[in-house]
Each structure stands twice: as C-alpha cells, then as structure tokens.
Amino acid sequence: MNIIDIQSLTKYYGKAKGIESVSFSVKEGEIFGFIGPNGAGKSTTIRTLLGLLHPTSGSATIFNQDITLCGPQIRKDIGYLPSEVFYYEKMKVKELLEYSASFYPGNHKKRMVELATLLELDLNRRIEDLSFGNKKKVGIVQGLLHQPKLIILDEPTSGLDPLMQHKFFELLRQENQRGATILFSSHILQEVQNLCHRVAIIKDGTIVKIEEVASLRQNTYKKVRVSGQISEADLSELSIRDFKKWDHSISFVYQGAATDLLQVLSKCKITDVLIEEPTLEEIFMHYYTSESES
Amino acid sequence: MNLFAFELKRRRIAIFWWVLGLSALQLFMLSFFPLMAKEQGMMDLILQYYPKEMLAAFGLANATSLGDLSGYLIFSFIFAQVALAIYASMEGFTVLSLEETENFADFLLTRPVSRTYIFVIKYGSCLLANSILALAVIASTMIGIFYFGEGATITRNILILFASLLPLQLLFFASAMAITQTMKTVRSPLTLSMGLGFGMYMLYAMRGALDSEGLRYLNYFSYLDISRILQNEGIEPVFILLTILIVFGASGFSYVRYLHRNIVSK
C-alpha cells in the first residue's frame, strides 16, 4: 500500500518553476529519501504535500486521501519537521509542546517527556533562550510526540551535533519499526545512504531517478583504479567515463559486468587493481551531469 | 490549550494595557467636564472666536456648548475612537499575517486544522478583544459621567454612540485584515495601524473643515459620526449599509485570499 502517491505534481510561483511533473510513491513502512541540492524543489514538494502551498497542477494523495481536499484529516497522522524551525519565542518549551499536542487526540505528555529526556531537551527553558540545535530538538519532539503514521522530515539534521544526529537516527529507526513511514529530505547523501530504503533524486524541480539505495550503489557503477602498463585505448571495449591518467596508474568509472572488466584487464600487464563501489555522492553527481549532457 | 485560548493568551498583556490606558483617558477627559460646565458661558464665548473651520474639524461647528455633556463628548470621545481604531487596525494587520511574518506559519498550518477553522477562531478572538476594549471605554465613560457629569444622565444618543463603537472597530479591523491579504509580508503593523487610524481621522477633520460631502465616504469616522449621533441626527442609513458592506466584503475577501494563500519557506 502506498502511503504517499504523487502524480505529475507541478508548482509554479508566478512564472518561476518550483517543481514540474513530480511523480513518486512512498510505500507503507518505507524510509524514503528525497535528495537534491538546495533549490532543487524538495521543500516545495513537501510543502505542497502538507497544504502550505497549493499545486498548480497534478495531484497527490496521502493515506489514499487527496491532499487538497482532506488536509486536516491527513495531518492528524503526520509528524513534520521543517528545515528551519521557528516557534513562539516567548513560550516555554513545555508550553509549546503542550500546545502542539493539544491539536491531536489523546494524552501525549508521557511521550513528550520521554523524547525530551532522550534528546536532552530542557522543557522549562524559553524558546528565545535556545540555540538553533535545541530549537531543532523541540521540532523533533513536536513532530514525533503524537506517534504519527507518516513522518516528513525536511533537512532534519542541520544544527544537530553528531552525537545527537546518531540518537535522532536511532529514534527514526524505532519509529519505522513501530510502523511509521518516513519521507526524509536531505542534501547530505551519507544520511540518506545510511537510513533510507529507496531514494528519489530531484534536480531543477524534476525527478531525475527513483531507485532502491542498495541497487543504486551495486548495479550501476564501479570506481576502478589500475596500476601497470595500461592506456585508455586498452579499455575501448568497455563503457567507461571520468578517465584519469597518472604516471603509473589510471582511474575510471565503469558500468557493466565485472567479468568483462576483468577479461580486458587480464590482457594487460597490470600490477594492482582496486575496484570500489562509488559513494552515493558520486552516483548523484553522475545523474546530475548525465542529465545535463542529455 | 486550544487555538482560541492561545490567541487570547497571546494578546492578554496588550489588552490589559489598552484597557487601562483607554479607561484612564476617558476618566481624565471627563474629569475636566465639571470645570467646563461651571465656566460654560466663558467657554462658549471663547469658542465664538475660533474659526468656524477649526471648530468643524473637531465636530463642534453645530455643537450646542462644551459645557453641555453632549457637546463635551463630541470633543473628548473622538480620542477614544481613534485609539480603538488604531487597536482594531493592529489586530487586523497582524491576525492572519503574524505567523507568516514571524515564520510560525509552518507550525500552525501543519496541525490537523483547516484554514477555515483558523480563520474563524482568529476572527472570533479579535472580535472578543475589540469588544473588551469597547466595553472598557463604555464602562469608564459611564463611570466618568456618574462622577463628573454634573447630574447628566446617559441619554439615548450616548447609548447609540456606545453601540457604534464595535462596528467602527470592525471597519478598521476588516479593512486592515484585507490589506494584509494583498501584501507578501507585513513588516510594520504598528506603523500601518497608526497610519490608517490617524489618516482616517485627518480625513474626518478635513471633511469637517472643508465641508466636503465626498470626504464623508472616504473616512470611517464619518460613517458613524459622533457629532451627528450626539446632535440627535443619528446614523444615516447609507452609512449603516456601507459599514455592513465593508465589514462583510473585507472579511469575505480576506477569508478567500487566506484559503488560497501560499506559505513559502523562508
């Protein structure tokens, strides 16, 4: 079952394009990564899903309900953490969280204290006295305290120190194991790589690729570094790119079966071979550059 | 804590100081009335030497006398009206725009509530806040008349004047709210409120001084004209109709714009 289903969603700000024909689905129980650089359209997509922006065309459903018609019902089961957190400065953390909880049915006091303890957040401080990182923690608690079925995170880790990021990711895994679906938007690829099952890459407001994180890394490209007597001409049968040459070694990115590569290499006098999986960053840049070229 | 309670709690300190200030203003102004009544003859003589246009600007052109309670209220009550207009404008300029200006909009609009609900609750809380201020002015004026009125009673005209306060506030509130829905961001609501309140008062004063019929339609103080009400001329039906049209029109416009407003990230 799809928790989020987006069909050709388009948002223009006047004549300026926000997103165009964005389509993807997020399955129940999935942690779905949404990556792209700043300004690519991640926040626009998320804000449209949440009803903060009105789509120019296209449609989207969450929990099989139309986002433009059933916003309040949908948002009962959504926890949202925006990229920039701004709250009522004069309120105490506890007051703000209680106010937030009052919009959802049930008593969430116990969960609020649990999350605040886990994230080392002082509930009695005023919002205006908090650092950006602590405000982010407030955002995390208010987003998770009602145990939502869908958690939408827009650049959630900015401002959190590495230790707190680790705790946060553990918390997200626990929420996911509880059954929550997560849409995780980020431009930090390592985060997505470590946490997500599938990923959508967005560029200039358009989805470039949707793939499982594992297959994205395994089935596509290999980074190869070879030392010995070998030239680019020796590799003419292979599909390679980003060829670089040094005094006694070469490097390139290879796409294809490993046996084909090894056969070609075996014909040359080589002294060392290093075959690595590319990082998600390199894959990401590949999609960016190849799309630009096309 | 629900949204209505939150909205009231947010402005409770402001309401407290406005109530205190307006009540003090009314009592202060009325405390001079015994002196005016005592020196009625001399006051009338002094006013005879004032230019007619200047008296008209303060609504006193046809006033019987400053020594008479109705005449004195024409002169003194307008200050409370201007203050109420500024407060109502402040509410109007901030009620729907505060969250966006201060970047809290993401917090409120991602809760499981509709924009219609938010609009109604916020509108209701502003209505209550304005009513509290109007009641404070009415109560302090009545107390002032009781203590300093030299035996004068609350006449029907004074009751009409009291009843006209909330509609006057709503004119300013609804207009200011509608203006914000045509703006991207509202940077300085206090300046805008003062501008709208004093601007309308200046037009009201000019209308009196110039005796311009056209200017009557351009300022809200003329719609519910204190001078006409207290001189037994009542409120003209055309201005009652205009008041209703503007309040409902501006509120409806604001509602529709708010429903369709895009909340962009900062």
Side-chain angles (χ1 to χ4, degrees), chain A residues 35-36 186-194 280-282 284:
Chain A
I35 54 174
S186 178
H187 67 271
I188 303 169
L189 301 158
Q190 194 69 31
E191 291 179 352
V192 177
Q193 200 169 6
N194 290 340
L280 200 53
E281 179 116 27
E282 285 161 326
F284 181 65

Side-chain angles (χ1 to χ4, degrees), chain A residues 8-225:
Chain A
S8 303
L9 199 63
T10 299
K11 175 65 192 173
Y12 271 82
Y13 301 97
K15 287 183 179 173
K17 185 173 77 173
I19 51 171
E20 189 156 39
S21 294
V22 167
S23 300
F24 65 84
S25 301
V26 181
K27 296 170 197 161
E28 187 172 12
E30 189 174 30
I31 305 180
F32 190 90
F34 195 34
I35 54 174
N38 294 330
K42 303 186 299 293
S43 293
T44 299
T45 307
I46 287 174
R47 297 177 78 79
T48 309
L49 287 176
L50 290 164
L52 293 166
L53 300 175
H54 296 274
T56 307
S57 65
S59 64
T61 61
I62 296 178
F63 310 125
N64 286 324
Q65 292 176 296
D66 190 290
I67 54 161
T68 54
L69 301 174
C70 309
Q73 292 95 307
I74 290 170
R75 291 195 291 270
K76 270 184 194 162
D77 292 310
I78 294 181
Y80 168 59
L81 176 62
S83 51
E84 299 284 332
V85 282
F86 296 99
Y87 298 119
Y88 303 89
E89 294 280 308
K90 297 291 173 195
M91 288 178 97
K92 285 186 175 177
V93 173
K94 194 178 176 183
E95 288 172 339
L96 180 99
L97 293 174
E98 283 173 350
Y99 177 47
S100 175
S102 71
F103 286 95
Y104 304 94
N107 188 343
H108 308 287
K109 212 161 194 172
K110 191 178 163 211
R111 182 69 178 151
M112 181 179 88
V113 174
E114 272 175 18
L115 289 168
T117 308
L118 179 77
L119 296 172
E120 297 165 31
L121 177 65
D122 185 351
L123 291 171
N124 293 311
R125 291 184 72 185
R126 282 196 189 280
I127 301 286
E128 64 187 349
D129 297 331
L130 298 180
S131 65
F132 179 67
N134 277 320
K135 283 183 186 168
K136 203 85 187 189
K137 290 180 192 175
V138 176
I140 294 169
V141 177
Q142 65 82 26
L144 299 181
L145 57 74
H146 57 292
Q147 299 194 294
K149 291 178 189 165
L150 172 63
I151 301 167
I152 297 179
L153 307 161
D154 191 1
E155 308 275 1
T157 54
S158 57
L160 294 179
D161 61 57
L163 189 66
M164 205 45 72
Q165 282 187 23
H166 179 73
K167 280 187 180 179
F168 175 57
F169 285 136
E170 275 309 304
L171 188 59
L172 289 181
R173 286 193 185 95
Q174 284 171 19
E175 289 291 314
N176 184 235
Q177 280 162 14
R178 177 180 62 76
T181 306
I182 299 172
L183 174 61
F184 187 100
S185 155
S186 178
H187 67 271
I188 303 169
L189 301 158
Q190 194 69 31
E191 291 179 352
V192 177
Q193 200 169 6
N194 290 340
L195 191 73
C196 299
H197 304 134
R198 280 198 308 149
V199 62
I201 299 171
I202 188 167
K203 176 197 172 191
D204 295 337
T206 310
I207 298 290
V208 176
K209 185 84 178 170
I210 300 170
E211 189 108 52
E212 298 215 351
V213 170
S215 65
L216 199 67
R217 296 179 65 194
Q218 286 168 11
N219 301 335
T220 50
Y221 298 90
K222 306 283 182 209
K223 272 170 42 181
V224 183
R225 192 177 179 104

Side-chain angles (χ1 to χ4, degrees), chain A residues 11 13 43 47 50-54 72 75-76 80 82 84 86-89 91 95-96 98-100 102-104 142, chain B residues 1-3 6 9-10 99 102-115 259-266:
Chain A
K11 175 65 192 173
Y13 301 97
S43 293
R47 297 177 78 79
L50 290 164
L52 293 166
L53 300 175
H54 296 274
R75 291 195 291 270
K76 270 184 194 162
Y80 168 59
E84 299 284 332
F86 296 99
Y87 298 119
Y88 303 89
E89 294 280 308
M91 288 178 97
E95 288 172 339
L96 180 99
E98 283 173 350
Y99 177 47
S100 175
S102 71
F103 286 95
Y104 304 94
Q142 65 82 26
Chain B
M1 181 167 48
N2 62 26
L3 183 57
F6 176 78
K9 192 178 174 192
R10 187 170 63 76
E99 271 82 10
E102 304 285 331
N103 302 320
F104 311 144
D106 281 16
F107 177 83
L108 182 59
L109 294 174
T110 55
R111 303 301 112 185
V113 287
S114 66
R115 291 197 190 187
L259 281 192
H260 296 97
R261 197 168 171 86
N262 284 317
I263 312 296
V264 294
S265 57
K266 303 291 170 184

